[in-house]
Amino acid sequence: MAVDLQKLAIKRLLQNQSPDFFNKLVNKYFTGNNLLLFRKVNNFYTKNLRIPSVEEFLQMQKQESQQDYFKREFVDVFLEGETTVNDEFISSQLQDFYIREETISFLDGFIDELDNLEQTEIIDKIQEHILSVQKFIPEGEELFDVATIETVPTEENFIMYPSGLSSEFDAENGGFGLQELVLFGGRRGSGKSIITLNMALNNFLLNNSVAFMSIEMRYVEVYYRLMSMLSGVPFSNFMLNKLTHEDKVKVATSKLDAFYQDTDESKRLLKNVATSQNFGEFDMQLRKGAVPFKESRFHIIDDVQLSLARIDHYLNMMTSKHDIKMCVVDYLNIVKVEDRMDWKSQISISDSLKTLARKYKVIMISPYQIDNTGEARFAKGVLDSADKSFRFMPSDLNEDPTALPFEVAKIRNGKAMKFNVHMDWDCLRIDSNKSKAISGKILNRYGDDTKEQGRDLG
């Protein structure tokens, strides 16, 4: 006789009244009459904060036909596996059954429309299916006994990484930790993308792998900004196609220093390109693997259709090969979801980014738009899931054009403060050591949403 796991789960639940077992079960694991019975257990628990006994549950069946069914199928019968199957096996098998059934149902519809799908749509639909079933599968250990936790923080489980913004902030708060969601609120064109790219670069230069996910900017624009920051060559020279030979050699030198190992071949390539000016040959040799990569990697994802499912997909793909410490999603308000302009969707994006930060153990960075009062556009609730959030205004061209005024809008386990972030606008590089603590209001200094001063930068 086959084991009826759904019936066995309900009977075991009522017999043992185990909250731990109950927390491993969800409605999705049950069908038909078993689903109706499990919902009644769920409703009882919601009202009484405990699981009913077999006798209590029998009395809850108000119709005689329901009582007869419950007695016949659960009480007056010995179910296969009652004494031989443990709770862990029951819950894991129900999870497996649920995933199989959902996947079969998904594949039926997926195969029917496969001929009409493009490659990106195929990947999206598969990833969305994975996300949908993962919601109903426990992540792992959730209950911790305080007596068994490490007595003091260890280097492994309490690493803080410098923000790359301000030495003042880092001195007070240590920077950012893994699994944190850090949000940056700025006005339109105030430099949100440049600031978060600086943070990714700073983390990368600490010998960590990072990911920068861009929705609006092409990958080449992100790359040009990155190389301007590294080489000191003015960004305008890249965008106006006015790079001199000296500029190009600086860029090539910085690229080799940052992303490739220091070898005799790298020195030879640099010497050759400086004299031949054949940068096409230089790039071809690098693509052929003439110089090995450094262990830490900087990935740019250029995806105009970036959705939560795709963010999960990219992180899953990259973390399987590299030890990713930071992920930047540029930016929160335009991640692709249904009804993107609805405040509930915006809050859902923020919640999901926090979940992904926990899932992949990365620092998750994302800018968001604010209005002239400093409030988040679309939804104030986007900050609910954040561990740290900042807001800033454009630099004042009449005072110090290099100084961006920042303030901490929210922080867990730290000190709220205000400080300047100093930007070299020629090469778009932040110097965190020039940062100073400031006081006073940083908001409402630059007019309303129709009259903004500052630099028109992303």
Side-chain angles (χ1 to χ4, degrees):
M1 180 187 294
V3 177
D4 189 329
L5 290 168
Q6 293 184 21
K7 286 184 178 179
L8 187 58
I10 293 171
K11 187 169 184 178
R12 180 71 57 83
L13 195 59
L14 298 174
Q15 287 176 332
N16 297 348
Q17 298 172 278
S18 167
D20 182 55
F21 184 47
F22 176 64
N23 285 329
K24 293 177 180 177
L25 305 175
V26 296
N27 288 345
K28 293 282 187 179
Y29 298 171
F30 299 91
T31 57
N33 286 329
N34 295 325
L35 174 58
L36 297 176
L37 294 174
F38 183 74
R39 281 176 173 166
K40 288 185 178 182
V41 175
N42 227 334
N43 291 337
F44 183 93
Y45 186 89
T46 302
K47 293 177 182 178
N48 301 281
L49 295 180
R50 64 181 181 85
I51 299 162
S53 65
V54 174
E55 292 74 18
E56 287 175 317
F57 195 74
L58 182 60
Q59 293 172 8
M60 288 163 55
Q61 314 309 310
K62 297 181 180 180
Q63 296 181 11
E64 188 174 341
S65 60
Q66 292 176 335
Q67 290 183 356
D68 290 343
Y69 172 80
F70 183 68
K71 288 180 65 176
R72 182 177 69 252
E73 299 293 329
F74 291 87
V75 179
D76 298 337
V77 65
F78 180 83
L79 298 177
E80 183 74 18
E82 268 194 49
T83 58
T84 59
V85 178
N86 61 33
D87 293 355
E88 189 66 35
F89 179 83
I90 295 172
S91 60
S92 66
Q93 289 298 304
L94 285 173
Q95 291 165 14
D96 291 347
F97 177 79
Y98 163 70
I99 291 176
R100 283 196 299 270
E101 293 299 304
E102 288 294 305
T103 301
I104 289 170
S105 176
F106 161 74
L107 289 175
D108 284 343
F110 180 72
I111 291 171
D112 287 342
E113 59 178 336
L114 188 57
D115 289 341
N116 299 319
L117 298 176
E118 297 180 357
Q119 57 181 350
T120 54
E121 293 175 315
I122 292 172
I123 294 171
D124 282 354
K125 285 187 176 292
I126 293 173
Q127 195 64 28
E128 285 167 4
H129 168 68
I130 293 171
L131 280 177
S132 69
V133 296
Q134 281 181 337
K135 292 178 183 177
F136 301 101
I137 306 298
E139 286 290 330
E141 200 65 43
E142 295 171 335
L143 176 65
F144 298 91
D145 187 334
V146 172
T148 65
I149 299 174
E150 293 89 347
T151 303
V152 295
T154 63
E155 184 176 340
E156 181 180 347
N157 65 14
F158 210 77
I159 300 174
M160 296 295 285
Y161 295 88
S163 66
L165 292 174
S166 164
S167 56
E168 288 278 339
F169 175 83
D170 293 343
E172 290 286 350
N173 297 298
F176 305 142
L178 299 178
Q179 303 188 42
E180 287 189 340
L181 172 61
V182 185
L183 301 180
F184 288 84
R187 305 292 294 279
R188 292 189 296 265
S190 59
K192 299 185 294 295
S193 299
I194 294 172
I195 288 167
T196 52
L197 184 58
N198 265 277
M199 295 167 61
L201 176 58
N202 182 74
N203 198 267
F204 170 76
L205 293 176
L206 295 173
N207 298 319
N208 300 313
S209 291
V210 301
F212 189 93
M213 302 189 184
S214 175
I215 301 174
E216 289 188 324
M217 281 195 299
R218 297 171 300 148
Y219 73 94
V220 289
E221 187 176 352
V222 178
Y223 171 75
Y224 293 156
R225 290 182 174 192
L226 196 59
M227 296 316 300
S228 177
M229 294 172 189
L230 283 167
S231 66
V233 173
F235 178 62
S236 60
N237 289 12
F238 287 87
M239 297 308 293
L240 299 175
N241 198 22
K242 291 184 177 181
L243 290 172
T244 65
H245 177 61
E246 183 182 358
D247 289 341
K248 292 176 182 179
V249 173
K250 282 184 180 179
V251 172
T253 303
S254 298
K255 184 173 184 175
L256 284 172
D257 287 345
F259 306 108
Y260 292 89
Q261 296 180 25
D262 184 12
T263 64
D264 291 340
E265 182 62 18
S266 67
K267 293 182 177 68
R268 189 188 68 80
L269 280 179
L270 188 59
K271 183 179 179 180
N272 285 349
V273 79
T275 55
S276 71
Q277 302 188 33
N278 189 344
F279 287 90
E281 175 66 19
F282 175 80
D283 286 333
M284 186 178 72
Q285 290 300 318
L286 290 180
R287 284 195 291 267
K288 287 170 62 177
V291 183
F293 294 117
K294 287 186 175 179
E295 186 174 344
S296 55
R297 307 292 284 275
F298 195 118
H299 297 279
I300 299 172
I301 291 88
D302 174 0
D303 190 344
V304 72
Q305 296 296 328
L306 190 68
S307 63
L308 293 167
R310 291 192 184 190
I311 295 170
D312 185 50
H313 165 68
Y314 291 130
L315 279 172
N316 181 59
M317 179 175 61
M318 289 183 292
T319 54
S320 67
K321 299 178 181 178
H322 307 288
D323 188 17
I324 304 291
K325 297 298 186 187
M326 178 179 286
C327 174
V328 176
V329 175
D330 185 27
Y331 58 94
L332 185 150
N333 302 115
I334 56 175
V335 171
K336 302 304 180 194
V337 291
E338 288 187 21
D339 201 4
R340 180 169 61 85
M341 307 301 287
D342 181 66
W343 63 272
K344 293 179 183 177
S345 297
Q346 293 290 306
I347 293 173
S348 176
I349 294 171
S350 179
D351 290 346
S352 296
L353 291 180
K354 173 61 180 178
T355 299
L356 291 170
R358 295 286 306 271
K359 178 179 179 180
Y360 292 104
K361 296 181 175 58
V362 298
I363 305 167
M364 183 69 73
I365 307 287
S366 190
Y368 67 96
Q369 286 188 1
I370 61 174
D371 59 24
N372 67 310
T373 68
E375 295 290 354
R377 296 183 70 204
F378 308 113
K380 298 178 183 178
V382 297
L383 301 186
D384 292 348
S385 296
D387 298 281
K388 296 180 176 74
S389 65
F390 302 80
R391 52 192 175 191
F392 67 96
M393 283 291 173
S395 54
D396 188 338
L397 302 183
N398 296 319
E399 294 181 11
D400 184 353
T402 70
L404 293 162
F406 269 66
E407 72 175 358
V408 177
K410 175 187 176 182
I411 187 168
R412 292 192 178 119
N413 307 317
K415 176 183 176 181
M417 57 189 297
K418 299 175 184 178
F419 52 90
N420 276 335
V421 168
H422 280 265
M423 178 80 72
D424 181 338
W425 289 111
D426 286 335
C427 64
L428 312 180
R429 188 71 182 270
I430 289 174
D431 186 345
S432 63
N433 293 320
K434 290 184 178 180
S435 173
K436 300 294 182 184
I438 59 175
S439 59
K441 295 175 66 175
I442 75 163
L443 304 173
N444 302 321
R445 295 174 59 188
Y446 304 102
D448 58 26
D449 281 335
T450 60
K451 296 180 181 179
E452 295 179 340
Q453 295 181 29
R455 298 171 183 268
D456 186 16
L457 293 167

